[in-house]
Amino acid sequence: MEMYNKVAKIERAIPKEVFYLYLARNNSYYITGFFMKTSTQWFTRVTLQVIITLTALTALFCQPKTITILHTNDMHASFIPHEAFWIKENPKPLVGGFNELSFVVDSLRRVKSATLVLDAGDVMTGNPITEYTYAGAEGGALFEMMNRIGYEAWTPGNHDFDISSANLRKLTNIAKFPTISANILDTLNQFPVNNKEYVIIEKNGLKIGIIGIMSDDFYNLVNQNSSAGIKILPSIETVKRLVALLNPQTDLLIALTHQGVKEDSDLAMNVQGLDLIVGGHSHSRLKHPLKVNGTLIVQTGSNCENLGVLDLTVEHHHIIAYDGNLLPLWYNSARPKTELSNFIDSIKTKIDEDYSTVIAMLKTDWTNSSSESGVGNFIADAQREAAGADVGFMNSSGIRKNLSAGPITKRDIFEILPFRNLLMKFELTGRQIRSIVEYYIEEHPNIQTSGIQCEWERKLDGSIKFNTFLVNGKPLDENRTYTGAASDYMMGEAKKYFGIETPKLTYLNQTVFTAIEEKVRKTKEISSTVEHRIKKYKTEK
């Protein structure tokens, strides 16, 4: 009795007779005086109780368990609501923002038995908040907001390196949740941004392993200054190694990736043992989970417009049931004020003071496109003019926001061009300019051009014939040396965008953002349209 009373916790789960039977089997001291009272009938009763108790305990620990994964990706500093640009009606409703995200996350936590909040990268780049220092890091206020929302893990995206890897390290110091990326190392094989290969989190009796992964295409996605000293291990081999390590230790295994749906599908096809991939990078709005080779894949789109909600039922280390969807984060002005909303408002007020002045009027919508666009023409023109160059170029993927006709603020320009790219000037021969345009026609590298006007057609042998080819209104001279202008990021990827090796570059003391801002202020009323600068000749039927 004395021994039993000392172990009070056991009393709640195990009958007294079973407890003494355990002691009898494991300590002869307790057998004396105990089995003297034993009869066959009594022993049978105790044995039956042992079986029943063990069966009940086994059922308790082996029954299906549930977990709800709440996930975001590619939020791009969208901490305040923005126009739902895809809605045709005006005024367009507002969507997104961290206040709305926090409200929905808190609401789901109240009704779900267990939740796990994850982010798949690209928290940074998209709003001027990333220009403001908080707790020693530029953009640090975003991670303080994520702390208050209650994120439990994240993996960095390529744009989280945009300022520098040193700044990313400072951001991860602010985060009270782990930074997970197994394939980001430095040249000394250390983890450079406070990242871990994986974490194991226990929720509702489930041991959940989370492996972080960065895109294998990292060096083509990050400015060379920011990627210096960073080494990326092959994603599939890295995940295979960690799955083998973690599967025996976990009930559920998640890859938290920033590489895109196609690459996530490749990962699922090549790695056995993954239960779920929570992805980012491709901005894919998956309304319901994909299932590839038995692995679920989820992603929410971008810009904090949706929260991913995935309900899982897990039994014997397998997902036996799931239900996933996206919850649109429509702005609701009636939400009550909270500590987080007050913090958000204080940051927004400061940004509004610096960025909300109207600097011009836009007469036509600016809508980005992989082919020629009005906004692309304006930006390429602005770079060419600022550099005093003959031709200018802009990568379409660097134009991050569409803008409706109406007032233009400095914040609009920043959200269209949120990167700190420097303006570069370089020399090109006329022959190289012709080669760049031929590459554009054949490979469609998604660039915008300035200073070039040409008409072309396809000859019977498949080659390209130029009927006209003008540079600044004059016929192209293939033997002449011209000057070009583009961002340092674009020129670092010259082979990808132009099909040529990177020429000798001159760094100008100006960013692409300031060049465009100056042209917007100078023009005042802007009506840039598609001009068919590189036009295919169409024969009349």
Side-chain angles (χ1 to χ4, degrees):
M1 178 64 73
E2 181 182 355
M3 175 62 72
Y4 183 74
N5 289 337
K6 286 181 179 179
V7 195
K9 290 184 179 179
I10 299 179
E11 185 175 11
R12 292 192 290 270
I14 302 177
K16 190 175 300 182
E17 293 88 345
V18 176
F19 175 72
Y20 279 124
L21 181 60
Y22 168 80
L23 293 178
R25 288 179 175 175
N26 292 277
N27 192 329
S28 59
Y29 174 81
Y30 291 96
I31 298 178
T32 305
F34 178 72
F35 276 103
M36 290 175 64
K37 302 176 183 179
T38 301
S39 67
T40 303
Q41 182 180 3
W42 184 89
F43 188 81
T44 303
R45 178 170 63 87
V46 171
T47 303
L48 182 59
Q49 283 185 314
V50 172
I51 294 171
I52 292 172
T53 300
L54 293 178
T55 302
L57 289 173
T58 301
L60 175 65
F61 287 103
C62 295
Q63 66 183 351
K65 296 179 177 64
T66 60
I67 181 72
T68 299
I69 311 297
L70 306 179
H71 58 100
T72 55
N73 58 273
D74 300 278
M75 294 193 290
H76 289 294
S78 297
F79 77 105
I80 56 175
H82 57 274
E83 281 190 344
F85 66 89
W86 62 91
I87 303 294
K88 294 182 179 180
E89 294 79 13
N90 286 307
K92 301 182 188 303
L94 297 179
V95 65
F98 280 11
N99 194 47
E100 195 65 33
L101 172 63
S102 178
F103 178 84
V104 175
V105 168
D106 286 345
S107 299
L108 289 168
R109 280 189 175 124
R110 293 190 190 100
V111 299
K112 301 291 186 180
S113 59
T115 59
L116 179 61
V117 186
L118 305 175
D119 182 79
D122 276 6
V123 173
M124 295 285 282
T125 304
N127 181 283
I129 190 174
T130 57
E131 300 294 293
Y132 292 81
T133 299
Y134 177 89
E138 292 172 87
L142 291 167
F143 284 78
E144 176 57 28
M145 293 173 192
M146 293 173 72
N147 286 337
R148 300 186 188 192
I149 291 169
Y151 276 87
E152 295 167 89
W154 86 301
T155 195
N158 53 292
H159 286 299
D160 298 308
F161 284 84
D162 280 345
I163 295 176
S164 67
S165 59
N167 191 70
L168 175 55
R169 187 164 53 250
K170 294 175 183 177
L171 292 171
T172 59
N173 285 333
I174 296 171
K176 294 179 181 178
F177 45 92
T179 298
I180 311 170
S181 191
N183 64 333
I184 297 177
L185 299 175
D186 61 19
T187 53
L188 299 176
N189 291 325
Q190 302 296 312
F191 296 113
V193 290
N194 296 317
N195 49 309
K196 302 176 180 180
E197 286 188 306
Y198 66 88
V199 294
I200 297 176
I201 296 175
E202 189 161 348
K203 292 272 186 171
N204 197 26
L206 290 170
K207 290 184 178 179
I208 304 169
I210 306 173
I211 302 166
I213 286 294
M214 168 62 78
S215 170
D216 290 332
D217 204 29
F218 177 82
Y219 300 109
N220 293 324
L221 300 170
V222 176
N223 187 297
Q224 291 181 355
N225 292 329
S226 295
S227 63
I230 300 295
K231 180 168 68 174
I232 302 297
L233 301 180
S235 59
I236 291 176
E237 288 81 354
T238 301
V239 175
K240 281 182 177 179
R241 174 176 60 83
L242 292 174
V243 166
L245 173 68
L246 295 176
N247 253 335
Q249 306 177 47
T250 59
D251 303 297
L252 181 70
L253 204 47
I254 300 173
L256 187 60
T257 72
H258 193 88
Q259 58 180 359
V261 167
K262 179 183 179 300
E263 290 75 11
D264 285 340
S265 299
D266 291 342
L267 184 64
M269 287 300 298
N270 285 280
V271 179
Q272 300 297 322
L274 275 179
D275 299 299
L276 169 65
I277 299 174
V278 176
H281 184 58
S282 57
H283 295 198
S284 303
R285 189 172 176 269
L286 301 180
K287 293 182 180 180
H288 302 288
L290 296 179
K291 194 168 189 178
V292 177
N293 195 30
T295 301
L296 299 179
I297 300 174
V298 295
Q299 199 178 140
T300 68
S302 63
N303 298 309
C304 200
E305 292 167 354
N306 301 286
L307 173 67
V309 181
L310 179 63
D311 293 317
L312 301 176
T313 303
V314 180
E315 184 177 28
H316 300 307
H317 306 278
H318 294 288
I319 296 172
I320 61 171
Y322 66 91
D323 182 29
N325 58 81
L326 301 181
L327 288 183
L329 298 174
W330 295 112
Y331 171 66
N332 185 342
S333 60
R335 299 289 186 220
K337 288 293 182 180
T338 63
E339 183 180 339
L340 174 62
S341 68
N342 290 334
F343 182 61
I344 289 171
D345 289 344
S346 69
I347 301 294
K348 180 180 180 298
T349 298
K350 176 59 178 172
I351 295 173
D352 287 345
E353 290 173 359
D354 298 338
Y355 282 84
S356 290
T357 302
V358 175
I359 59 177
M361 293 296 294
L362 184 62
K363 296 297 185 181
T364 55
D365 291 348
W366 271 354
T367 304
N368 190 27
S369 171
S370 57
S371 56
E372 183 184 345
S373 66
V375 62
N377 285 344
F378 186 90
I379 292 172
D381 288 348
Q383 292 180 83
R384 176 177 58 82
E385 294 166 13
D390 297 305
V391 294
F393 304 95
M394 178 65 194
N395 55 312
S396 301
S397 60
I399 302 171
R400 307 298 287 191
K401 175 184 174 180
N402 296 324
L403 189 62
S404 301
I408 304 177
T409 66
K410 184 178 178 180
R411 174 161 48 200
D412 291 323
I413 304 303
F414 184 92
E415 290 174 350
I416 291 169
L417 296 166
F419 310 107
R420 297 185 176 190
N421 294 332
L422 295 173
L423 187 60
M424 313 293 289
K425 193 173 183 178
F426 46 90
E427 291 186 348
L428 294 170
T429 65
R431 189 170 290 105
Q432 283 178 308
I433 292 176
R434 177 190 175 101
S435 172
I436 289 169
V437 174
E438 289 175 338
Y439 182 79
Y440 172 88
I441 293 169
E442 297 286 10
E443 302 297 332
H444 311 290
N446 299 340
I447 64 174
Q448 310 288 324
T449 64
S450 175
I452 297 172
Q453 192 78 42
C454 63
E455 182 184 82
W456 65 278
E457 62 179 300
R458 185 80 65 182
K459 295 170 66 174
L460 292 177
D461 63 2
S463 62
I464 295 169
K465 173 189 174 184
F466 290 101
N467 299 325
T468 58
F469 202 128
L470 307 177
V471 175
N472 285 331
K474 297 180 181 180
L476 173 72
D477 182 348
E478 293 195 7
N479 296 313
R480 177 188 159 184
T481 297
Y482 295 87
T483 54
S487 71
D488 58 340
Y489 168 77
M490 198 173 184
M491 295 314 300
E493 301 294 331
K495 196 73 175 177
K496 170 183 175 181
Y497 288 113
F498 305 126
I500 63 171
E501 297 299 328
T502 302
K504 183 179 179 180
L505 303 172
T506 300
Y507 283 78
L508 303 181
N509 190 27
Q510 190 175 25
T511 65
V512 174
F513 168 80
T514 57
I516 278 58
E517 181 191 0
E518 288 175 7
K519 182 172 174 62
V520 168
R521 290 181 183 273
K522 180 180 178 180
T523 307
K524 295 188 183 302
E525 291 192 356
I526 300 170
S527 181
S528 55
T529 59
V530 174
E531 301 172 6
H532 305 291
R533 293 178 174 183
I534 300 176
K535 180 181 179 181
K536 185 176 182 179
Y537 174 72
K538 294 183 179 180
T539 57
E540 295 183 4
K541 294 182 179 180

